[in-house]
Amino acid sequence: MSSQREPTITRDNLLQTPEQEHGSSRPRQFSPANVRKLGLTRKTRMRRDFREDENPEERERTHKELELKPLYKELLYTITHSMGKPSSAEVYTESQLHQYIQEAFPMTEAEHSSLTEWVYGTEPPVYCLMATVKEAKEILGKDISGFSDPYCLLTIMEDEEESRTRRSKAKPSKSIVKDVVSNDKIYQSEIKNQTLNPIWNETFILEFTDIAGASFHLEMWDKDEEVSLTQKLEDITTNLSSLKRIIKDAKKEKGTDDFLGKVVLKLQDLHCTEDNWYNLEPRTETYPNRGMCHLNLKFIHKARDETLSAGRSAYTNYCGILQQCVQARISKQKETAPWKGALCGEAQTLLEFYASQNDLSPFLQDLAKWVAYSKLYQRLEVDSSVLFQQLTSVEYHWHQQELPRQQKQELGDSLHGFLQYGLCLVAKYRDIFPPTPSATPKLHTLLRILVQICKTQAFQKLNPAEFELLNEVSDAVETGTEEWFTIKKGLHQPMTKDVAEIVSALSRLIGEVQEDIKHNKDAWNRVFLSAVQVDVFTVVYKRFDSLLAKEVRKTLSLLEGQMEQAVANALFPVYLSLQAIHKDKAFLQTRGSLELTNFQEGFREALPYWLSRVFSLTQGRVERAVQVDQLQPLQSGAVPIKHSTSAVDLVACIQPICQLWEQLSWPDPEEAFMLMVKLTEDVCKIVVNYCHTLKERVRVLSKNSDPGSAINMLCVVVNDLEHLRSVLNQLPTQLNWAGLRVWTQNVIGQSQFHNTLPSQLEQAQSVLSREIRSALDTLGKKLNTDIETQVRSMSTRRRIPSKSTEDAAAPLMRYLEQEMQYMNENLVQENFNSLLTPLWNNSVKILYQVATQHPQQEGLVVFCQRLLYTLQCLQQCFHAEGNGLPLKTLHSDEYMVLKAHLTHNSLSSLQLIEKFLERKIQEQNVNTSEKYGAVTLLASYSRSDQRLRVEVLNAVNLLPMDSNGLSDPFVQLCLEPKHVFHEVEPRCTRIKSCDLNPLFEEAFDFMVSLDQCRAPGACLVLTVLDHDTLMTDDFEGEAFLALKGLPGAAREMTGDGLGSQPEVTPAQIRLPLLHPKHNEDSILTLLESRRGEQEAQDYVRKRRQREKQSQERI
């Protein structure tokens, strides 16, 4: 708070005594309202002051003679006639105290000696001990009722009386004060009837001559009144526990008081002020616990020499001494931290002695400290705890003690003056308390002090006029804000009448206001709210709103008809600052009409200039970025960046356009939509121009480049365009189209909105997509041609027997690995994936064409095996362990057809038959329809004797094949494939005549090995036929049962020993009958094409016969 203090401090103006301050000028008043409210109850009191024409040396000498020397003599007198010990732990000698006051009240040695000799010649005071008997507790009950009627006797015994008392103690006596000290030196308190906890609060002044050897005596007695025998008998009947006291009372002399206890204190052991509870001591060992007595003891002077400081009260002298001690302390303080109110030990001792000797109450002492410290606060940095402590003390004493009229007036003036001074500081809080971590706590402290003052009963009593601190602080802040604005406006006045200079001056002024509003919102508002509940941000904002609106209207009126690019450019910072200030209205606690609400309307004429400028600047930056671009991928950090510098620069160049939308925040929704259309159009133009400029740059750089470098540059161009496309995709989010749609839904139709903005973006994206496809097509053409050449080279007749499958596919894989690695390194992932998909589809297409165009059947299996191996390698290459194309993309319909074709053509005829049977088994497993009936059987395999046992139980729901509507069914059992079960003959059940649900219950054993049962396609084929005597048997249906899943043949069983196998439980199986479809199976078609293999032809012929007998239609 050093900035709030006066720069010069002298001895005569640092602190002033109450008489000196009454004539001093008040702090400057900042508001008529404050003069009206605070001035109603305060009247200026004049004093005689030093003449202004006196020179400093004469003024210093006069001050010393009239002010310092009287105080100096008072302190010398206090030291000489000091009594008691100070409250501080350290005790100072008389010489130490003399040395201190000689330094604090700057006196020469000669002056000190002269004044000391003068004080020694003055009349000594009357030494007194002011004793206040406050209360006692838990004293003895001496009366029959169990209570006492206590009173106290007080006196001071000096050396002679103490000696006489000790000589007379041959026989113990309970009475000391009454027997030794004369009655005129004994002081008696009131008698408190029937209590064990009496309260007196009586003060006595006891004089003595010498503190050495003197002691303070207090005796507490129970007053004994004469009571009739009748009354005592009544007490006996009502309280039998008092019988012992009555018997004892009968023995003693009538009218003799009972001794309750005593307190004896040596004066030289006491502090100058004591306030303690003391134990009541007994005369003998009986009843040692006699309770306690609360005493307040203070050494005071009576009849002090009045020539020490003639005409000055003790309170005035105390104020002067305090101020001089504080000044001496601060002058010696070396650190820059605020003064925390601590005085040196000598000063505290002297102030304590002086206050005690002159019987200054704690209220007057705290009042003097408040007055002194509050004035010191106005000149130096004083810790707030000092003022808070004194305010609390003054408020406490206000309820306990009445102040003299003069001191009341002084307290009222002090509180009034500090409030007025504090409000002056509040008005200038910007300059005095800047928004720094060290300054804002000081402002908070000042406001808390002002609040504390207004809460005190003393202020409310001494300043009865209506005073609302919240309103006063608000008025001070508002007045200070207007003064601050006026000063800043004067500092930023334009030097000429040039339009651009006028706008620039306004911009600087608004910038200052914007920064001040920010500080009020972020720093000062918390301070004012927490301290005085004043929303300083709202007060300041509303005042600035009015002041700025006036200045902006004035400036814009001067620009009518003079708008040009330079002026518009100068207005843009003004607009941005006003926009930022206007957004801060969201933090206002109280809403109302603001003059800056529609400030944007004044800048409508400059808006086209701003849009034109940002577009031209962006377009120029983009063109310069492309001109210096070498179309080389950026390498930055561990992850390489695959696009070039111009793509990065373009994104950075577009950002100002997006930022312009946020900066403008145009309030009119319809105009805001048109503004968005214009900004989007500009971005799209810049993107399209960038594409054309980049293509021209590729053409220029490719003229003298080798093909590899040209392809590399083309890859970078594709990456640049892809990067730009991702940026365009984010444009609706960056420009917040969704928020704009909600805002403009009442003025812009949905169809108009979506037909305008998205269409602009789609056009730009279509240009990018077209350019990217063109570049990728150029890259893909060379790859597709090379892949086709490599694949067709594997189909030549002369290479089939000369190379293995791996060797035949190796050239193609080496080529693809090299090219893929090159493309992966030079294309971003999006473009690399975009290139991979057409390459994969084209590779599958080439393989299919080559596979289906093989001219001869001879060598087809070997060739298809090579192509199948090649297809598998291509899949691994394009998938790249999950880093390339996903499997879902790779496994297209064309791929599945090609794979099935190559797989089947790569197999032998026997393998194809096995594959066919596996397919039929799968068809059997998924079929649940019993459209043609079903057959039920029990089946199991015994490993011990290698026997397959099948028991045909029955058939149900068979088709009627005879004219009578019935059938003569039987079941044929055959193990297939034949090349696996070539020695096993088919078996048949008996014929069941005229029955559609025949019951067979016939068992059949087939001697086959476990390996045969687990062979690929191994199954039991059950064919149900209708027996005809003269014609071929009719086909009822067939079923396929896989052998490897039967009990005993399944792989879950372990062990090969014949005796170690557990007995197998046959499985009952119900198999729906199937009818094959006509010419549907591709495996049969393939087998049919292999005309040179008799076994294949026989099997196909058999299956075709079944198809002819089938009732299933495609």
Side-chain angles (χ1 to χ4, degrees), residues 2-26:
S2 57
S3 59
Q4 75 188 57
R5 311 299 186 222
E6 296 181 1
T8 305
I9 302 175
T10 60
R11 282 199 187 106
D12 58 346
N13 68 2
L14 176 63
L15 295 168
Q16 296 175 340
T17 60
E19 284 82 353
Q20 290 173 329
E21 72 180 30
H22 293 320
S24 61
S25 60
R26 297 274 186 195

Side-chain angles (χ1 to χ4, degrees), residues 846-1110:
I846 292 172
L847 287 174
Y848 186 78
Q849 290 175 353
V850 173
T852 56
Q853 293 174 2
H854 196 271
Q856 298 180 7
Q857 186 67 28
E858 182 183 0
L860 179 62
V861 174
V862 176
F863 179 64
C864 288
Q865 289 175 350
R866 290 183 178 180
L867 292 184
L868 181 61
Y869 175 76
T870 303
L871 180 64
Q872 295 171 349
C873 293
L874 286 175
Q875 176 181 326
Q876 295 178 358
C877 179
F878 279 85
H879 184 55
E881 297 180 352
N883 297 319
L885 293 178
L887 292 177
K888 183 178 180 180
T889 302
L890 293 172
H891 295 169
S892 60
D893 295 339
E894 294 80 2
Y895 166 82
M896 300 306 294
V897 171
L898 174 62
K899 183 179 179 181
H901 176 79
L902 295 177
T903 300
H904 293 161
N905 282 278
S906 300
L907 300 177
S908 65
S909 296
L910 298 180
Q911 290 173 327
L912 285 175
I913 293 173
E914 293 171 356
K915 187 68 68 175
F916 172 80
L917 291 173
E918 288 177 350
R919 184 181 294 180
K920 298 303 288 185
I921 292 171
Q922 178 66 24
E923 182 182 352
Q924 181 73 58
N925 291 336
V926 300
N927 181 58
T928 58
S929 172
E930 296 185 357
K931 176 181 178 182
Y932 303 107
V935 61
T936 304
L937 66 153
L938 292 174
S940 64
Y941 178 78
S942 175
R943 295 188 185 186
S944 59
D945 51 5
Q946 296 187 338
R947 183 179 70 249
L948 172 65
R949 185 175 182 80
V950 179
E951 182 179 356
V952 181
L953 300 178
N954 63 357
V956 295
N957 302 326
L958 298 178
L959 296 177
M961 292 295 180
D962 295 339
S963 59
N964 59 2
L966 298 174
S967 294
D968 302 319
F970 67 94
V971 179
Q972 185 183 69
L973 294 84
C974 181
L975 296 178
E976 294 190 4
K978 285 296 183 181
H979 63 271
V980 176
F981 302 99
H982 52 84
E983 295 180 354
V984 181
E985 295 295 331
R987 311 287 287 277
C988 292
T989 65
R990 291 189 297 271
I991 300 170
K992 300 294 181 177
S993 301
C994 300
D995 196 350
L996 297 180
N997 297 285
L999 181 64
F1000 296 105
E1001 294 183 344
E1002 297 182 41
F1004 303 92
D1005 292 329
F1006 298 92
M1007 305 306 293
V1008 293
S1009 66
L1010 182 62
D1011 291 337
Q1012 287 177 304
C1013 292
R1014 291 179 176 176
C1019 63
L1020 173 65
V1021 180
L1022 297 100
T1023 306
V1024 182
L1025 300 171
D1026 171 44
H1027 176 70
D1028 284 335
T1029 304
L1030 299 178
M1031 300 178 64
T1032 305
D1033 296 338
D1034 295 325
F1035 178 69
E1036 288 275 1
E1038 62 183 356
F1040 298 84
L1041 176 63
L1043 300 183
K1044 63 181 179 181
L1046 294 178
R1051 293 189 179 274
E1052 285 76 7
M1053 297 186 64
T1054 60
D1056 295 326
L1058 298 178
S1060 63
Q1061 298 298 332
E1063 184 177 353
V1064 177
T1065 303
Q1068 180 173 328
I1069 305 172
R1070 184 184 180 97
L1071 297 174
L1073 297 178
L1074 304 176
H1075 280 223
K1077 295 181 180 180
H1078 291 261
N1079 298 323
E1080 188 182 58
D1081 197 285
S1082 59
I1083 294 179
L1084 292 179
T1085 304
L1086 180 58
L1087 287 172
E1088 196 172 16
S1089 66
R1090 298 182 179 181
R1091 302 188 181 280
E1093 300 183 21
Q1094 185 62 38
E1095 187 175 358
Q1097 296 302 315
D1098 293 343
Y1099 190 80
V1100 171
R1101 190 178 303 111
K1102 176 183 176 181
R1103 295 308 304 174
R1104 295 301 186 196
Q1105 183 64 29
R1106 284 283 181 262
E1107 291 178 1
K1108 291 179 181 179
Q1109 296 174 338
S1110 172

Side-chain angles (χ1 to χ4, degrees), residues 792-802 854-860 866:
R792 292 188 180 279
S793 67
M794 293 190 297
S795 66
T796 58
R797 175 73 177 172
R798 59 184 179 83
R799 293 190 179 185
I800 288 178
S802 62
H854 196 271
Q856 298 180 7
Q857 186 67 28
E858 182 183 0
L860 179 62
R866 290 183 178 180

Side-chain angles (χ1 to χ4, degrees), residues 764-776:
Q765 288 176 332
S766 64
V767 172
L768 287 176
S769 299
R770 186 169 60 252
E771 297 296 335
I772 291 174
R773 286 195 303 271
S774 175
L776 291 177

Side-chain angles (χ1 to χ4, degrees), residues 119-138:
V119 168
Y120 285 159
T122 58
E123 289 292 329
V126 177
Y127 302 127
C128 301
L129 177 66
M130 186 170 67
T132 300
V133 183
K134 293 188 173 181
E135 58 182 323
K137 62 182 180 180
E138 299 176 1

Side-chain angles (χ1 to χ4, degrees), residues 154-155 161 180-187 205-207:
L154 298 86
T155 189
E161 295 169 345
V180 179
V181 183
S182 59
N183 291 335
D184 60 340
K185 292 184 178 181
I186 298 175
Y187 298 86
I205 297 179
L206 290 70
E207 298 181 1

Side-chain angles (χ1 to χ4, degrees), residues 7 341 385 503 602 820 880 1016 1049:
S385 61
V503 174
M820 292 299 178

